[in-house]
Amino acid sequence: MAAPIELYYWPTPNGWKITIMLEELGAPYVVKYVNIGRGEQFAPDFLKIAPNNRMPAIIDPDGPGGQPISIFESGAILQYLGRKFGKFYPADERSRVEVDQWLFWQMGGLGPMAGQAHHFRQYAPEKIEYAINRYTNEANRLYGVMNKRLADRPFLAGDYSIADMACIGWVIPHENQGQDLDDFPHLKRWFEAVLARPAVQKAIEVGKEERARQKSLAEDQEAQKILFGQRAR
């Protein structure tokens, strides 16, 4: 039996991407918690595999050529696992491009913009109307893009894929982003279908108890300083 994949993780939308993929694959993995609210992402050993100070990251002991490989950036991890296991990431080039488009759309758009909406609505010590409106409206626009895309297909790239896994976690906290899924019926149908998958349900529970032991980020000023006040080191 192959050694389990080591997943460096904290329960956030980016972390969920990888637990979802691993659960869908049925691949063995062990979780190495990286408590981002306590600054563990800056530990020297972690930076050896994740130089951007961000989780998730993985170490696959059975990488290319049978040698270990470490990978950071959630999109790169999803693509790697899709190629390695031959699932949820098609081999056909035309179909793969469809998946890649929506994966990178999430990486460059949905995640950052929804995250900023969340930040300025929930965590910013000063409620800046311009910033709240800017990012809430952009999140709304992106939800509209998804809604149109899903009007004539069950999943973002047609078949269920890593693109859906990448996006679902960013839609889970839609209320904190100022969005109402009733405004987006095709997106809502997709959202409910993805969340109904047993692997997805199991994946988003990973680390829930770890996170519950801490204060809410909105109330934890020390964690906010760690997460939101970093400069180059």
Side-chain angles (χ1 to χ4, degrees):
M1 179 180 292
I5 290 170
E6 297 178 12
L7 170 60
Y8 293 80
Y9 167 87
W10 196 245
T12 71
N14 283 331
W16 291 332
K17 296 176 189 178
I18 312 306
T19 52
I20 291 171
M21 179 61 161
L22 291 168
E23 290 293 341
E24 291 281 13
L25 292 168
Y29 69 100
V30 293
V31 176
K32 308 282 188 178
Y33 289 107
V34 181
N35 189 327
I36 59 177
R38 296 293 173 263
E40 293 176 5
Q41 66 271 38
F42 298 102
D45 286 346
F46 181 63
L47 294 183
K48 292 177 183 178
I49 63 171
N52 192 39
N53 321 113
R54 297 288 186 270
M55 66 85 222
I58 67 168
I59 295 177
D60 182 3
D62 183 27
Q67 299 300 310
I69 187 172
S70 64
I71 308 168
F72 73 103
E73 282 297 326
S74 57
I77 297 168
L78 288 172
Q79 289 177 319
Y80 169 78
L81 293 172
R83 291 191 300 267
K84 176 184 174 75
F85 290 94
K87 294 182 178 180
F88 309 112
Y89 191 39
D92 170 71
E93 182 64 13
R94 188 173 295 275
S95 299
R96 180 168 287 186
V97 167
E98 284 290 287
V99 173
D100 284 342
Q101 288 181 131
W102 290 96
L103 175 64
F104 282 90
W105 177 85
Q106 183 280 311
M107 299 290 293
L110 180 63
M113 296 299 104
Q116 292 294 338
H118 200 130
H119 175 83
F120 283 104
R121 293 175 65 89
Q122 302 293 317
Y123 304 137
E126 180 184 354
K127 297 304 180 185
I128 304 170
E129 184 178 2
Y130 175 82
I132 291 171
N133 290 340
R134 164 75 178 92
Y135 292 111
T136 301
N137 289 341
E138 180 60 7
N140 186 270
R141 185 190 72 82
L142 291 165
Y143 275 48
V145 171
M146 269 175 93
N147 190 61
K148 289 180 180 178
R149 175 68 176 177
L150 292 162
D152 61 354
R153 68 204 76 210
F155 301 104
L156 288 167
D159 294 331
Y160 181 65
S161 73
I162 60 173
D164 303 290
M165 299 178 199
C167 290
I168 188 64
W170 287 103
V171 181
I172 288 174
H174 56 272
E175 292 181 354
N176 288 340
Q177 301 158 19
Q179 308 306 319
D180 183 349
L181 291 190
D182 286 336
D183 294 335
F184 307 99
H186 307 300
L187 171 57
K188 184 177 181 180
R189 186 268 311 154
W190 166 89
F191 178 74
E192 292 173 349
V194 175
L195 282 187
R197 296 178 68 91
V200 175
Q201 293 175 10
K202 185 175 180 181
I204 62 178
E205 291 294 314
V206 176
K208 192 172 183 179
E209 292 182 358
E210 291 284 332
R211 188 168 179 172
R213 293 191 183 102
Q214 299 183 3
K215 290 192 295 185
S216 164
L217 181 57
E219 302 171 352
D220 194 335
Q221 294 185 357
E222 288 304 312
Q224 290 184 28
K225 289 178 183 178
I226 291 169
L227 289 169
F228 306 142
Q230 292 299 322
R231 292 170 61 86
R233 295 190 174 196

